[in-house]
Amino acid sequence: MLKHIIFDVNETLLDLAALDAFFAGLFGDSRLRTEWFLTLQECWMTNTITGQYQAFGDLAQGALRMVAARHQVEVGDDQCQTLAAGIKSLPAHKDVHQALQLLNDNEFVLIALSNGALEALQQQLEFAGLTDCFEHIMAGSEISQFKPAVATYQMVAQRLGIATDQMIMVAAHAWDIAGAAKAGCRTAFVERPGKVLNPIGTQPDLIGKDVQDVAIKLCAGKL
Amino acid sequence: MLKHIIFDVNETLLDLAALDAFFAGLFGDSRLRTEWFLTLQECWMTNTITGQYQAFGDLAQGALRMVAARHQVEVGDDQCQTLAAGIKSLPAHKDVHQALQLLNDNEFVLIALSNGALEALQQQLEFAGLTDCFEHIMAGSEISQFKPAVATYQMVAQRLGIATDQMIMVAAHAWDIAGAAKAGCRTAFVERPGKVLNPIGTQPDLIGKDVQDVAIKLCAGKL
């Protein structure tokens, strides 16, 4: 039975809907949060494909300016800093604490792996009260790589001294599932609101309606 | 003076706003077209990063199903086929014919380069009445690569028997500018409605409000 579980953080564990009020205030439409996150993805994936690296926080602010320019709304440094602060103070989804506790109790080794910078990730987990649930906290910033680049998942395996096929990646993102599977990990997809798989893309080994559901299935030896 | 100009096709030359009625009919909001295109980008970029390849047309339909699932709207094969047909029958932006004619008259060599499959690209240009403007029509599908992978721009240079720094990439996409610049090309960004540069990303050598504006600047030797 696999005992090492890597968790994606933003959206999988932490609830970005907490930023809805910010987007509603700025654009008059909280749905622009989805467009912002997709634009942010475009930015970091473009960096990965072209072999460049910029900090996730800088890209998050750049993506906000792109969405603002697209919708002809003015944003300044103040709004960018409000967004940055908001990202660092997201609540956990309601099911997360109990789910991680269940996995801890069942002797799984939990690893948090984010595209956010390591220090920001540590702040996020601390704010959400999740730090103690994780044996390891790692970030793509440590090797200047973003998921879904296989190097990020390989970094985790190397540090743990195990093979990638000894790890399970849990994420609410289709691209994270695709990258982890390519790296050789087993995968579990979390069906958070608005998060969907690519029907013709890489399919996960397991699907849960939330992290609690995934945790119960993993404890039952479903992977 | 550089004489070889590569044109991105979707959005740069062809007007995807023609799909707005389709998205408005399906989702009650034509702005979902932007979310669909960003989701499509996520799909092909994930493929590039994980070293996989699927046809652009299949990804376009997959992305439609993802947006539909995200917004809890039912889509079937009929709607997917309507979208596919719509992509193959897009009109050119109003400034394009005259702009390409101006460049032809000034002895520039024009190349169309799309992430769409070669055959679909040929149909698109034929429908829009642009086929005769181009000396070369090329697609990432010929080497199973998507822009902004540098291999796509290098393919063009290799076929033309010139160096990448002898080519200008014209695109309304920040990621296309980034990829072409990484490959060594000069770049021109077209400020189509809703298309924006990443303020902290790769900056183009030239910016025009439309293709006509870019063409006039290129004829004036601005690059």
Side-chain angles (χ1 to χ4, degrees), chain B residues 23-64:
Chain B
F23 281 90
L26 200 51
F27 298 103
D29 186 349
S30 66
R31 290 177 303 175
L32 272 289
R33 173 171 62 85
T34 297
E35 187 178 317
W36 163 72
F37 199 80
L38 287 167
T39 301
L40 172 56
Q41 284 181 190
E42 173 191 315
C43 293
W44 88 61
M45 288 185 179
T46 296
N47 268 6
T48 297
I49 293 168
T50 61
Q52 299 177 71
Y53 182 79
Q54 293 170 298
F56 186 86
D58 294 340
L59 293 172
Q61 294 182 39
L64 177 66

Side-chain angles (χ1 to χ4, degrees), chain A residues 29 31 38 41-43 45-46 49-50 54 58 62 66 69-70 149 175 178 182 194 196-198 200 202, chain B residues 29 31 38 41-43 45-46 49-50 52 54 58 66 69-70 149 175 178 182 194 196-200 202:
Chain A
D29 186 349
R31 291 178 302 176
L38 287 167
Q41 284 181 189
E42 173 191 315
C43 293
M45 289 186 179
T46 296
I49 293 168
T50 61
Q54 292 169 298
D58 294 341
M66 290 174 79
R70 190 179 291 142
W175 48 263
K182 180 70 180 182
V196 292
L197 284 165
N198 177 350
I200 63 164
T202 305
Chain B
D29 186 349
R31 290 177 303 175
L38 287 167
Q41 284 181 190
E42 173 191 315
C43 293
M45 288 185 179
T46 296
I49 293 168
T50 61
Q52 299 177 71
Q54 293 170 298
D58 294 340
M66 290 174 79
R70 191 179 290 142
W175 47 263
K182 181 69 179 182
V196 292
L197 284 165
N198 177 349
I200 63 164
T202 305

